[in-house]
Amino acid sequence: MSEVGAALRDAAARLAAVSDTPRLDAELLMAHALGIERQALLLDPPRFAVPGDFAALIDRRMGHEPVGYIVGYRDFWTIRVTVGPGVLIPRPDSETLIEAALAHVEDREAPLHILDLGTGPGTLLLALLSELPEAAGLGVDASAEALAFARRNAGELQMQDRAIFREGDWTDGVAGQFDLILCNPPYIADTEQLMPDVADHEPAGALFAGPDGLDDYRRIIPDLPRLLAPGGVAILEIGASQLISVSTLAEAAGFSVGCRRDLGGRDRALLLTRA
């Protein structure tokens, strides 16, 4: 076994105590320390020597610091999203919203107007714009820190002319109508226990939403009818056990409701269309 291979094996064994994906974490941290892509590392590990700062990166991960914060990015859909402390790290489950949005608009030819509520580092909006070159959109977030990441990501992806970001409290002050509305709001109940890498590092304001996790849905959904263009769809991420409760709120606001499951088979994306 090569020096790098042995280091990866030993690191993965350590990280198994704190991570559900210890080998992946070790590979991402090794690639970061080497200044290369993970794919290059996996193609030919013996050509590399273990960098001196690899052990320190593993120690940081052993302290439950998220890999995304350590390496400074998270790959999502087909884009790379720059992240750091103060911003929610994109999750693979959220790609379900992108799949649902693209399926809804696959036959549309006119340029689309997209709204991303709670945009964070711009994840959902920029992923969709990467697939829809004629589309433009608005991302809204209450966090100036998150919006700084969003604007940086738009620039790095050369989408700054199509993605506008502004600070705001959900739909307050948002005008016009949108063909696609995306929203991944906080939906975790205040009393729910999270893994330390989430609870101790990621912003609580992007995670928790009252005693039942529904506080932000109660604020957002009633205002969506005025913002959704005819033929449009609003797609909300939900927790795996929230289909009935959030659907009830949406139906009360006059929407027809559908649901798309993530790759794990869990209810994940709620699709709201005009009833």
Side-chain angles (χ1 to χ4, degrees), residues 5-22:
L8 288 172
R9 178 200 61 200
D10 294 344
R14 288 187 66 199
L15 293 174
V18 300
S19 173
D20 292 333
T21 56

Side-chain angles (χ1 to χ4, degrees), residues 72-76 79-83 90 121-123 153 156-157:
Y73 70 87
R74 181 66 175 261
D75 289 329
F76 179 87
I79 64 172
R80 176 159 291 181
V81 180
T82 298
V83 297
T123 304
N153 283 318
E156 289 175 347
L157 294 165

Side-chain angles (χ1 to χ4, degrees), residues 36 38-40 52-53 74 77 80 85 101 117 135-136 153 172 185-186 195 198 201 217 226 238 255 268 271-272 274:
I36 61 174
R38 173 172 168 258
Q39 291 85 345
D53 58 348
R74 181 66 175 261
W77 195 248
R80 176 159 291 181
L117 295 169
N153 283 318
D172 289 355
M195 295 290 289
V198 178
H201 292 275
Y217 295 115
R226 74 175 178 86
I238 60 172
F255 288 110
R268 186 61 61 193
L271 285 70
L272 312 186
R274 293 179 183 275

